[in-house]
Amino acid sequence: DAKTTQPNSMESNEEEPVHLPCNHSTISGTDYIHWYRQLPSQGPEYVIHGLTSNVNNRMASLAIAEDRKSSTLILHRATLRDAAVYYCIPQYSAGNKLTFGGGTRVLVKP
Amino acid sequence: DTGVSQDPRHKITKRGQNVTFRCDPISEHNRLYWYRQTLGQGPEFLTYFQNEAQLEKSRLLSDRFSAERPKGSFSTLEIQRTEQGDSAMYLCASSFPWGKVTEAFFGQGTRLTVV
């Protein structure tokens, strides 16, 4: 499994953008990059995934570096409900296990 | 609610006792995963099933742990002779692999406290 490096924590003000970096320099060419988040007292939930191109969905955007060794999850306008631990997970094959690292704890200040 | 369901949500047991947790996945999902999470850490993979077949087990899954998915639907995770180090959140997830990406859906977990 590819190793990932994420900051332990980040703070943001409400309604401001949050940029969450992830380094995955050992990623293989076939690994998709997944992001999950875990709200307090909840199981993790899927946020977004991508392979090479930047991706957008209703929750977030994912910007993938051209060399794929890093990616950034972007929350465009953070709300208090976005306070969670965000995990970046390279996954090489559909259906295989997700390998979680320590993630980034996002604190959103009102 | 058609999400992943886990039972019980909380379990307190005395050291040395056996405990069993149940996971009901989303009905059409053929893959089921078990994870363990301790405070401040990310979830750690324990094992997964495709239908009723257990395809992979982590080294974390000692011989005191056993998981089953007898009919390819619900799954149970049993811990025998519990130890204080088994105290953790046990998470279940399910998925239906399609294409090249799988979205896993997690339950809310069973929190085990061994006293």
Side-chain angles (χ1 to χ4, degrees), chain B residues 21-64:
Chain B
F21 310 140
R22 177 180 170 122
C23 172
D24 287 272
I26 294 171
S27 59
E28 64 269 25
H29 286 185
N30 61 353
R31 292 216 173 191
L32 186 147
Y33 309 80
W34 284 99
Y35 288 81
R36 180 174 70 185
Q37 186 173 27
T38 52
L39 199 61
Q41 304 297 314
E44 297 173 297
F45 169 77
L46 292 178
T47 188
Y48 88 89
F49 293 83
Q50 178 162 306
N51 300 313
E52 65 275 12
Q54 189 172 17
L55 295 187
E56 186 175 349
K57 294 196 299 185
S58 163
R59 288 172 296 177
L60 293 174
L61 213 65
S62 76
D63 56 6
R64 296 185 297 106

Side-chain angles (χ1 to χ4, degrees), chain A residues 36 38 42 44 94-95 97-98, chain B residues 31 33 37 56 102 104 108:
Chain A
Y36 279 71
Q38 188 171 21
Q42 301 290 320
K97 64 182 185 289
L98 297 168
Chain B
R31 292 216 173 191
Y33 309 80
Q37 186 173 27
E56 186 175 349
T102 298
Q108 292 191 295

Side-chain angles (χ1 to χ4, degrees), chain A residues 33-75:
Chain A
I33 300 154
H34 298 245
W35 284 79
Y36 279 71
R37 72 178 186 180
Q38 188 171 21
L39 302 171
S41 301
Q42 301 290 320
E45 63 177 355
Y46 167 85
V47 177
I48 200 167
H49 75 273
L51 183 61
T52 56
S53 304
N54 295 345
V55 184
N56 300 296
N57 67 19
R58 63 174 180 81
M59 292 180 69
S61 295
L62 177 60
I64 301 171
E66 194 169 338
D67 63 7
R68 298 196 352 110
K69 293 184 177 181
S70 66
S71 62
T72 301
L73 182 72
I74 303 163
L75 307 177

